[in-house]
Amino acid sequence: MRTVDFSPLFRSAIGFDRLFDLAEAAQRAASEETYPPYNIERLDENRFQISVALAGFSPDEIVLTVEQNVLTLEGHKSEKEGKTFLHRGISARNFKRQFTLADHLEVKGASFENGLLVIDLQREIPEAMMPRRIAINGVVPSNVTQIESKAA
């Protein structure tokens, strides 16, 4: 895979640091391993769900954190001593997977059942950023006759 050097853009683009960080993270993610497998599902316009297959892990071996729009999932599998495997097909390795979250996307909860971790996400736009209608005040031109006037 070819990598892209963003350094020339840093010289002329101001305030786009987060965009460049996202592009670099996407490049790194493309070359990362694919363990553990996961699905990302859109439930509706503002709700999402991440499902992660964690066979062999228990809830106390999993750490889920959110910091500055990055959701981090870590698994630390403790090795049970005294076991001798003839074949080991179930992965029991430690992992760390990160998901970059959009602005105003919050983790609402997580559940773990039958080896599947389900993380619920919801977009909550602050009231100050919601679209609102602005009243327009103006002078009625003298050549236009106003037929009806109602207070807004």
Side-chain angles (χ1 to χ4, degrees), residues 116-131:
L116 193 65
L117 175 68
V118 177
I119 305 163
D120 294 313
L121 307 165
Q122 183 163 350
R123 180 177 296 133
E124 293 188 356
I125 301 174
E127 186 69 31
M129 296 187 77
M130 292 281 230

Side-chain angles (χ1 to χ4, degrees), residues 94-111:
N94 297 338
F95 67 87
K96 181 177 182 180
R97 176 159 300 279
Q98 293 184 321
F99 300 93
T100 302
L101 303 178
D103 291 336
H104 313 298
L105 196 61
E106 296 181 17
V107 176
K108 288 299 181 182
S111 61

Side-chain angles (χ1 to χ4, degrees), residues 9-10 13-24:
L9 295 173
F10 286 127
I14 301 168
F16 293 97
D17 299 345
R18 181 168 168 166
L19 179 64
F20 295 137
D21 291 344
L22 285 172
E24 288 176 351

